[in-house]
């Protein structure tokens, strides 16, 4: 099929490469010309394991190309996927859908009546129907539109795109779904279930799934608060309750909470949308989910202060600043926010990360960025593990022991082996646990 993918961020680039891997002819459209140049040269504008190799293969097979605007060729695509961002509006809870409406408006100006428009961005329920009206005002006909939310996770994005747990398609007309199912036929043939829904339900699948995942994380972090106050151990608690197969252990690890470009803004946008719909009470619990999550960040600041006394002029090293491992995404990163809060308290904060330091200058200031791990930890008064990169999980406490001045680490993600760190002479502190250090 001839495919256009509109918006080449984490979602759009991955989707474009995935579609090329399925054998389609893909044109990626992105207004940021430096991004287009990078992609044309086979360079990913962000870090995502395995995606750059797949991009280069797609380029050399002639299956993918990139440009800044629609042209006759892209307009003639069988399917146009809208993959632009829907960030939180600054100073508000709501999702900013202006990029979706702008991209849809530009597409409507060149759209062919036979082409299918497929929204993949995460949007507030009701957006797709509004989009149909707006596009019709430009194109003069009712666009054939489906909503097909994306569930990929950064760090495993390409594999998630190629082998999703399910394919969700929302539309007003089952006939529209046929073209999209044809596009995904190779995946469907592998047994991936397809759910054909109405537009509103399809939009809701994505935000409600994210709300559920966020709730699960905040649930165990609320238990961590109880554990901290009562002397219990939230890590062992999570292990015990996670073995109940009605509950399951995934998303039940206590620590500094969730961040990134999706969960936080999606639950806030969902709360705002429920308010608009007059059913704000239904999602009142999500406000608490958000608050529990944000309190975890302050908990680490509190633990650091308890350990160091006055933070002022203390040297603190943050291990990891991306919001999750195997990603360079700093959007709403808990580790980065903690580093900045400690710096605001007068701490001299050095940050290390295997891939995300490059993005730091644009987003923050004042933190000392150090790419060499030994140098980053050498003079630290305190180390904090902020992102559970394998490099940190696999740190040999004996080897690190020869470097720092004071041997205290806060394991913000509860991934270190407490016994081996203590045997190597470290004090180890972790949220949700009452670890006895002798
Ligand atoms: N990042 C993820 O892991 C992920 C996973 C699932 C769903 N989503 C959803 O996918 C959407 C995109 O997220 P992202 O992380 O890729 O965002 P992003 O900010 O990385 O990328 C968005 C891209 O769209 C481009 N863009 C903006 N306006 C445009 C226009 N008019 N025409 C063409 N391109 C335009 C931007 O320049 C940018 O490159 C969001 O709704 C997000 O919630 C993201």
């Amino acid at each position: 099929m001839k495919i256009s993918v509109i918006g080449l961020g984490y979602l759009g680039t991955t989707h474009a490469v995935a579609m090329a891997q399925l054998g389609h002819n893909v044109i990626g459209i992105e207004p940021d010309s430096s991004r287009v140049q990078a992609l044309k040269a086979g360079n990913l504008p962000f870090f995502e394991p395995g995606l750059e190799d797949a991009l280069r293969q797609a380029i050399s097979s002639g299956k993918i190309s990139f440009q800044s605007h629609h042209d006759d060729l892209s307009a003639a695509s069988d399917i146009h996927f809208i993959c632009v961002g829907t960030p939180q509006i600054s100073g508000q809870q709501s999702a900013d859908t202006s990029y979706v409406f702008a991209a849809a408006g530009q597409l409507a100006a060149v759209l062919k009546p036979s082409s299918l428009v497929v929204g993949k961005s995460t949007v507030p329920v009701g957006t797709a129907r509004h989009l149909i009206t707006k596009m019709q005002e430009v194109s003069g006909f009712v666009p054939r539109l489906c909503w097909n939310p994306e569930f990929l996770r950064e760090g495993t994005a390409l594999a998630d795109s190629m082998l999703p747990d399910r394919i969700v398609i929302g539309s007003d007309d089952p006939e529209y779904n046929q073209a999209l199912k044809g596009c995904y036929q190779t995946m469907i043939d592998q047994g991936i279930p397809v759910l054909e829904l109405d537009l509103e339900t399809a939009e809701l699948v994505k935000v409600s799934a994210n709300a559920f995942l966020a709730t699960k994380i905040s649930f165990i972090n609320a238990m961590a608060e109880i554990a901290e106050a009562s002397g219990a151990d939230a890590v062992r608690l999570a292990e015990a309750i996670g073995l109940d197969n009605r509950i399951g252990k995934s998303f039940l690890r206590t620590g500094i909470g969730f961040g990134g470009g999706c969960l936080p803004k999606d639950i806030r946008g969902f709360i705002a949308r429920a308010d608009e719909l007059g059913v704000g009470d239904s999602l009142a619990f999500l406000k608490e989910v958000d608050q529990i999550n944000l309190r975890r960040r302050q908990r680490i600041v509190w633990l650091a202060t308890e350990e160091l006394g006055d933070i002022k002029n203390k040297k603190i090293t943050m291990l990891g600043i991306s919001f999750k491992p195997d990603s360079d995404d700093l959007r709403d990163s808990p580790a980065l926010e903690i580093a900045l809060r400690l710096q605001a308290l007068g701490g001299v904060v050095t940050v290390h990360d295997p891939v995300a330091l490059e993005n730091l200058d644009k987003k923050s200031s004042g933190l000392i960025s150090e790419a060499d791990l030994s140098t980053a930890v050498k003079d630290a008064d305190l180390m904090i593990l902020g992102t559970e990169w394998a490099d940190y999980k696999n740190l040999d406490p004996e080897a690190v022991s020869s470097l720092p001045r004071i041997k205290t680490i806060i394991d913000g993600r509860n991934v270190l082996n407490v016994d081996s760190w203590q045997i190597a002479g470290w004090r180890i502190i972790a949220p949700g646990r009452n670890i006895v250090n002798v």
Side-chain angles (χ1 to χ4, degrees):
M1 282 183 172
K2 290 177 290 172
I3 305 272
S4 94
V5 176
I6 301 164
L8 298 171
Y10 289 89
L11 163 64
T13 305
T14 308
H15 189 67
V17 171
M19 292 303 97
Q21 281 202 345
L22 290 182
H24 301 304
N25 294 306
V26 182
I27 299 175
I29 297 167
E30 162 63 52
D32 178 341
S33 53
S34 61
R35 188 159 277 221
V36 170
Q37 289 315 316
L39 288 165
K40 278 183 171 174
N43 298 322
L44 264 194
F46 51 85
F47 176 81
E48 178 59 43
L51 191 58
E52 195 163 75
D53 286 346
L55 166 69
R56 289 177 182 183
Q57 277 167 22
I59 293 171
S60 46
S61 67
K63 286 283 172 197
I64 201 165
S65 64
F66 302 99
Q67 58 195 49
S68 302
H69 302 285
H70 294 285
D71 60 10
D72 289 347
L73 197 60
S74 72
S77 296
D78 301 306
I79 303 183
H80 301 278
F81 287 100
I82 298 179
C83 298
V84 300
T86 48
Q88 187 176 342
I89 298 176
S90 176
Q92 293 181 35
Q93 300 280 90
S94 321
D96 182 353
T97 54
S98 63
Y99 300 98
V100 174
F101 280 92
Q106 290 150 6
L107 174 61
V110 298
L111 187 66
K112 310 271 183 253
S114 59
S115 298
L116 184 71
V117 181
V118 178
K120 288 197 76 65
S121 303
T122 304
V123 292
V125 59
T127 303
R129 200 160 295 288
H130 191 189
L131 216 51
I132 291 173
T133 312
K134 286 286 165 196
M135 290 183 78
Q136 186 182 0
E137 284 169 15
V138 179
S139 62
F141 56 85
V142 179
R144 296 153 54 90
L145 183 130
C146 292
W147 215 262
N148 170 223
E150 175 61 52
F151 303 97
L152 67 82
R153 296 159 297 177
E154 289 173 29
T156 50
L158 188 57
D160 290 346
S161 292
M162 297 299 289
L163 210 64
D165 291 335
R166 71 295 205 195
I167 295 168
V168 172
I169 304 174
S171 80
D172 281 341
D173 186 339
E175 196 217 313
Y176 299 168
N177 305 357
Q178 290 311 319
L180 188 52
K181 287 198 283 184
C183 175
Y184 292 144
Q185 196 57 52
T186 317
M187 287 150 64
I188 296 169
D189 289 346
Q190 290 171 47
I192 294 163
V194 179
L195 287 99
E196 295 181 62
L197 310 169
D198 57 83
L199 283 170
E200 287 76 11
T201 308
E203 291 170 318
L204 268 181
V205 171
K206 175 66 189 178
V207 283
S208 54
N210 274 357
F212 188 85
L213 295 173
T215 303
K216 211 171 167 193
I217 299 170
S218 280
F219 172 82
I220 197 60
N221 280 332
M223 296 308 107
E225 294 183 344
I226 306 291
E228 283 155 6
S230 64
D233 185 322
V235 171
R236 301 309 306 275
L237 176 73
E239 200 183 314
I241 61 178
L243 284 170
D244 183 330
N245 60 22
R246 293 169 303 175
I247 296 173
K249 65 182 169 55
S250 68
F251 277 69
L252 214 55
R253 198 173 58 226
T254 177
I256 62 176
F258 58 81
C262 289
L263 285 195
K265 63 102 176 158
D266 285 351
I267 62 168
R268 292 173 198 149
F270 200 11
I271 293 166
R273 184 65 184 133
D275 276 340
E276 283 171 9
L277 292 169
V279 286
D281 285 352
S282 306
L283 295 186
F285 74 97
L286 278 184
K287 293 180 188 163
E288 203 48 51
V289 165
D290 196 15
Q291 288 308 309
I292 293 165
N293 189 54
L294 295 177
R295 282 204 296 273
R296 289 286 85 191
R297 301 175 186 190
Q298 195 52 31
R299 173 73 183 161
I300 301 296
V301 174
W302 188 88
L303 288 171
T305 310
E306 193 183 48
E307 184 63 21
L308 296 174
D310 193 357
I311 296 287
K312 203 164 174 18
N313 295 327
K314 295 288 180 355
K315 293 183 176 165
I316 301 167
T317 298
M318 178 64 74
L319 300 177
I321 51 164
S322 57
F323 87 99
K324 67 182 291 192
D326 296 318
S327 171
D328 63 353
D329 196 343
L330 297 182
R331 290 179 288 186
D332 207 346
S333 161
L336 180 57
E337 189 178 332
I338 292 164
L340 289 168
R341 283 192 200 180
L342 291 167
Q343 188 213 18
L345 291 172
V348 180
V349 183
T350 299
V351 292
H352 177 273
D353 193 282
V355 298
L357 293 180
E358 264 184 43
N359 294 342
L360 181 64
D361 293 343
K362 288 173 256 159
K363 302 242 172 192
S364 82
S365 60
L367 298 170
I368 303 162
S369 158
E370 176 53 63
D372 179 68
L373 184 55
S374 306
T375 312
V377 303
K378 190 160 59 87
D379 293 323
D381 295 310
L382 174 69
M383 298 202 311
I384 302 175
L385 192 156
T387 311
E388 67 274 37
W389 281 96
D391 294 20
Y392 308 141
K393 285 204 281 192
N394 300 332
L395 269 180
D396 175 0
E398 297 283 355
V400 201
S401 285
S402 60
L403 296 168
R405 294 193 291 148
I406 296 181
K407 293 178 181 158
T408 304
I409 184 162
I410 298 179
D411 179 6
R413 297 292 185 173
N414 277 307
V415 290
L416 298 180
N417 182 309
V418 174
D419 288 345
S420 19
W421 281 78
Q422 287 186 327
I423 288 165
W426 285 79
R427 281 173 56 68
I428 179 160
I429 301 166
R433 312 193 83 174
N434 291 276
I435 296 170
V436 178
N437 289 290
V438 283

